[in-house]
Each structure stands twice: as structure tokens, then as C-alpha cells.
């Protein structure tokens, strides 16, 4: 049985003790490095989040200027056609969940006129330009005023919804990171 009057030895870290100066120096250096790393990570994250907006800005200006070469560089027409074809095929999964009646009517009219080559003939750079020109604020305050929804569904996949009322239904875009550039790989309303 321990004596009640005996003193117990307790080991405790006391940060005020003078024999821990090495830990204080270490913490000051580590805190400085961690702060710099956190600031760098925050800046890189913000830059990554703003990066696709640059592509949308370039696309907006290319459409207004009629610059087909820039539109062609920013829009992957084959991917857009493929995704629309996947939506039309009931046996395949598609990222397009719902389409407007106007879009269905446009496709039906194209099928009657062009047959199986409908997507090759209808989904062109001129069609992409027409879709953007239906945005009522494109000549006014710009594309940014019409964006109603924008989010990353994956680190390399950005979804954008652009309101075009009263001229047309909303325009849905998907931008994907391909290499070091963002490209539009899905357009539908």
C-alpha cells in the first residue's frame, strides 16, 4: 500500500520549461513551412477552379467574332455527336438525362431529312454557334449573367447550365480536361 505522504513522480510536458527550446525552434520552422504550403495549395486550388472559366470566356468571344477555328479547338464535335447518339440508343448509358421537346423535334426533323447521317450533318460548328447565339445576354452583360448552375462532377469534368429563356430551353454543357486544355464534350438543351 502506497504511503499517503510520499511524493509521486509525474512526467508531463510543460511548454514553459526552459529545457525544451529545440522543440520550440522546430515548431517555428515547421509552422512557417506548413503555412506556406497551405497558402500554395489554396492558390493552386483557386486557379484550378477558375481555369475552365477561361475556356468559356474564349468560347464566348470566338462565337461572337465568328472565329470557327477557335470554336473547333474548344469543342470536341465527335464527343458531342457520340453522346447524343448514346442518348438516342436506348441500350447505351448516356450523360444526357432529359432533353427538351425542341431538341427532340430538331432531331426528328433531321432524321427525316438526312437519315442515319443526321448527327454528322446537324451537329456542326455552325450549330454550336447557333446554340450560343440563342443566349439572350450574350451581346449584353455576357455569358456569365446567364449561367444558372456550374459545378465540378469530377476533377476533370465541369457541368454548366446556361439559361436561354425566352428564346430557347436551357443549354447544358460538359467541359472535360483533355491534356492541358478544357474542351466542350457535350452540348444539349
Amino acid at each position: 500500500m502506497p504511503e499517503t505522504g510520499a511524493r509521486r513522480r509525474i512526467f508531463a510536458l510543460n511548454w514553459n520549461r526552459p529545457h525544451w527550446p529545440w522543440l520550440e525552434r522546430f515548431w517555428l520552422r515547421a509552422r512557417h513551412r506548413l503555412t506556406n504550403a497551405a497558402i500554395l495549395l489554396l492558390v493552386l486550388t483557386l486557379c484550378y477552379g477558375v481555369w475552365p472559366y477561361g475556356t468559356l470566356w474564349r468560347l464566348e468571344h470566338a462565337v461572337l467574332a465568328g472565329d470557327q477555328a477557335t470554336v473547333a479547338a474548344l469543342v470536341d464535335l465527335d464527343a458531342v455527336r457520340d453522346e447524343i447518339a448514346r442518348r438516342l440508343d436506348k441500350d447505351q448509358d448516356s450523360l444526357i438525362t432529359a432533353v427538351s421537346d425542341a431538341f427532340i423535334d430538331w432531331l426528328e426533323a433531321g432524321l427525316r431529312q438526312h437519315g442515319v447521317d443526321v448527327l454528322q450533318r446537324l451537329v456542326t460548328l455552325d450549330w454550336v454557334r447557333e446554340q450560343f447565339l440563342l443566349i439572350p445576354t450574350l451581346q449584353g452583360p455576357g455569358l456569365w449573367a446567364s449561367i444558372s448552375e456550374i459545378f465540378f462532377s469530377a476533377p476533370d469534368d465541369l457541368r454548366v447550365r446556361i439559361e436561354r429563356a425566352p428564346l430557347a430551353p436551357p443549354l447544358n454543357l460538359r467541359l472535360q480536361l483533355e491534356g492541358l486544355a478544357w474542351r466542350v464534350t457535350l452540348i444539349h438543351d
Side-chain angles (χ1 to χ4, degrees):
M1 179 162 190
E3 296 178 19
T4 56
R7 296 174 69 197
R8 287 194 219 167
R9 295 185 134 200
I10 299 174
F11 180 75
L13 294 177
N14 185 346
W15 296 103
N16 297 324
R17 290 189 183 191
H19 61 278
W20 296 96
W22 63 272
L23 188 58
E24 185 177 336
R25 285 192 305 269
F26 172 76
W27 173 243
L28 288 175
R29 280 182 285 176
R31 186 177 65 182
H32 181 67
R33 288 182 183 159
L34 288 173
T35 302
N36 288 342
I39 290 170
L40 179 64
L41 185 63
L42 179 65
V43 168
L44 290 175
T45 302
L46 289 174
C47 289
Y48 187 80
V50 172
W51 187 13
Y53 285 93
T55 300
L56 287 174
W57 182 81
R58 288 180 52 210
L59 186 59
E60 174 188 12
H61 286 280
V63 164
L64 288 175
D67 184 1
Q68 294 286 64
T70 304
V71 173
L74 296 175
V75 177
D76 186 353
L77 278 180
D78 291 331
V80 172
R81 290 177 185 137
D82 181 54
E83 198 58 47
I84 293 172
R86 291 170 71 77
R87 175 64 173 105
L88 295 174
D89 186 355
K90 292 182 182 6
D91 295 332
Q92 293 185 351
D93 292 330
S94 174
L95 295 172
I96 302 173
T97 55
V99 292
S100 68
D101 291 336
F103 190 73
I104 294 294
D105 294 341
W106 173 74
L107 281 173
E108 284 178 355
L111 278 169
R112 276 187 239 117
Q113 185 178 7
H114 301 293
V116 293
D117 293 334
V118 65
L119 294 179
Q120 297 297 325
R121 293 181 186 244
L122 293 182
V123 180
T124 62
L125 293 177
D126 289 329
W127 175 77
V128 171
R129 187 169 186 269
E130 289 170 12
Q131 296 303 308
F132 275 87
L133 288 177
L134 288 174
I135 300 170
T137 58
L138 203 57
Q139 285 78 14
L143 175 70
W144 313 113
S146 297
I147 294 176
S148 63
E149 187 176 306
I150 188 165
F151 62 93
F152 283 95
S153 62
D156 63 344
D157 187 358
L158 181 79
R159 306 293 172 94
V160 182
R161 182 181 172 99
I162 303 169
E163 295 300 328
R164 300 186 299 175
L167 301 175
L171 183 65
N172 295 291
L173 303 176
R174 177 184 187 205
L175 279 78
Q176 284 190 297
L177 186 60
E178 295 179 358
L180 294 176
W182 288 92
R183 294 187 72 198
V184 176
T185 59
L186 173 66
I187 299 174
H188 75 89
D189 57 4

